[in-house]
Amino acid sequence: MPQPPGASREWNAEEYHRLSAPQFLWGQRVLNDLHLRGDEWVLDAGCGTGKLTRLLLQNVPRGRVVGLDVSRNMVLHAQQNLRPDFGNQVQFVAADLLRLPFLCRFDGIFSTASFHWVLDHDALFRNLFQTLKPGGWLHAQCGGGPNLERLRERVRTLSRKTEFARWLAAFPEPWFFSDAETAASGLRAAGFEDVRTDVEPASFSVPTSQEFEDYLRTFVLHRHLERLPTEQLRQQFVHELAAASAHDNPPWALDYWRLNLRARKPE
Ligand SMILES: C[S@@+](CC[C@H](N)C(=O)[O-])C[C@H]1O[C@@H](n2cnc3c(N)ncnc32)[C@H](O)[C@@H]1O
């Protein structure tokens, strides 16, 4: 499944699947906190390549899971991995979280590492709310608070350098890292109750400069790199970030912070 050139909502699904061990561990912790009966209908909102969708499916043997993602590469990858093992217990939809095609359909919404890619959280929360049945739950985690602040500062500085400025100096960040209070009031404004939100640190480092560069290309800076016109410039951009990070202690660390979101739609 090649990634179409310039397709700004696409991801490199193969590389994501290969390098997403940290996201998988974070997601497992979120899932372990969910106490499922086993017969729920659950939406995995921003399912990616479906590693966590698989765990969800194992936890609802008498229920159903719909994996939804805006990236067709991701949806196809997840579908190919999961349909042979789960048949009709799982369905996939390529759609935008801001245009969810469901009304009062799900007992719960699970989502990890996705909501920060949606810039309008008020609209996102309204969409999620309408998708749930009365009494349905939202259990999600995404980037939040000071997520990747050190890396983002370096990206801003590098983007102003002569060789990159034409394409990146005015490029707005493609993420929204909400704080816990803003997220809580947005959820309440959408109609949710029993709202609980918090931000927690989740830094990790990778062992080599090459892995750091691969990681930046696939997970963090693909939207930035798409704007650069040559592979040489793309290489230079991630290489300079890796070189700066080599002097950190520990080297090649990613200063991640996670925002946890839990809420319920009233009965
Ligand atoms: C970092 S991946 C997380 C995938 C998976 N949940 C996991 O934890 O491994 C983020 C996913 O969110 C999806 N995404 C981003 N914006 C979206 C939107 N507006 N609507 C639907 N999916 C979106 C991306 O396509 C990508 O697959």
Side-chain angles (χ1 to χ4, degrees), residues 9 11 16 46 48 52 69-71 74 95-97 112-114 117:
R9 309 199 82 182
W11 287 61
Y16 185 84
L52 291 151
D69 203 288
V70 77
S71 158
M74 291 297 217
D96 192 326
L97 284 164
T112 53
S114 298
W117 289 102

Side-chain angles (χ1 to χ4, degrees), residues 30 81 234 237:
V30 177
N81 277 344
R234 291 191 278 273
F237 197 79

Side-chain angles (χ1 to χ4, degrees), residues 137-149:
W137 46 262
L138 169 67
H139 208 91
Q141 186 185 75
C142 61
N147 196 43
L148 294 175
E149 193 48 66

Side-chain angles (χ1 to χ4, degrees), residues 41-264:
W41 285 46
V42 183
L43 176 68
D44 185 356
C47 63
T49 60
K51 280 188 190 176
L52 291 151
T53 321
R54 176 179 288 279
L55 294 190
L56 258 182
L57 281 156
Q58 288 164 351
N59 279 275
V60 291
R62 301 178 305 287
R64 292 261 172 107
V65 177
V66 173
L68 178 141
D69 203 288
V70 77
S71 158
R72 286 178 187 276
N73 289 347
M74 291 297 217
V75 167
L76 280 171
H77 197 287
Q79 200 160 7
Q80 282 167 4
N81 277 344
L82 298 183
R83 279 308 275 262
D85 293 339
F86 295 95
N88 289 338
Q89 194 197 344
V90 65
Q91 284 171 355
F92 288 96
V93 179
D96 192 326
L97 284 164
L98 292 179
R99 289 195 185 81
L100 288 175
F102 309 108
L103 201 59
C104 296
R105 179 82 69 86
F106 294 98
D107 299 299
I109 298 173
F110 170 84
S111 180
T112 53
S114 298
F115 288 173
H116 52 271
W117 289 102
V118 179
L119 301 183
D120 185 347
H121 274 197
D122 290 339
L124 169 67
F125 296 154
R126 285 196 297 274
N127 266 266
L128 299 173
F129 187 84
Q130 71 162 28
T131 292
L132 287 170
K133 293 178 187 168
W137 46 262
L138 169 67
H139 208 91
Q141 186 185 75
C142 61
N147 196 43
L148 294 175
E149 193 48 66
R150 181 173 56 188
L151 177 70
R152 286 159 63 205
E153 184 51 41
R154 284 179 181 156
V155 168
R156 285 191 283 270
T157 304
L158 194 54
S159 298
R160 289 194 291 268
K161 276 183 76 172
T162 317
E163 51 275 52
F164 304 115
R166 180 171 160 203
W167 294 282
L168 291 178
F171 180 54
E173 288 193 325
W175 327 279
F176 172 56
F177 299 124
S178 176
D179 59 60
E181 295 72 27
T182 307
S185 65
L187 286 165
R188 287 194 193 96
F192 283 100
E193 60 183 24
D194 298 340
V195 172
R196 283 180 294 144
T197 60
D198 66 89
V199 172
E200 60 176 315
S203 297
F204 65 88
S205 50
V206 297
T208 64
S209 177
Q210 186 58 54
E211 199 166 316
F212 190 78
E213 291 184 27
D214 290 349
Y215 190 90
L216 293 186
R217 277 177 178 266
T218 307
F219 286 74
V220 189
L221 297 178
H222 42 303
R223 298 288 168 260
H224 291 74
L225 298 177
E226 276 168 10
R227 303 182 68 83
L228 296 175
T230 65
E231 179 52 23
Q232 194 195 339
L233 276 176
R234 291 191 278 273
Q235 254 175 26
Q236 189 188 335
F237 197 79
V238 288
H239 196 67
E240 290 199 24
L241 290 168
S245 182
H247 301 295
D248 294 337
N249 184 17
W252 308 303
L254 291 143
D255 50 329
Y256 273 108
W257 288 77
R258 304 280 92 191
L259 167 66
N260 295 302
L261 307 159
R262 294 186 188 86
R264 186 173 288 280

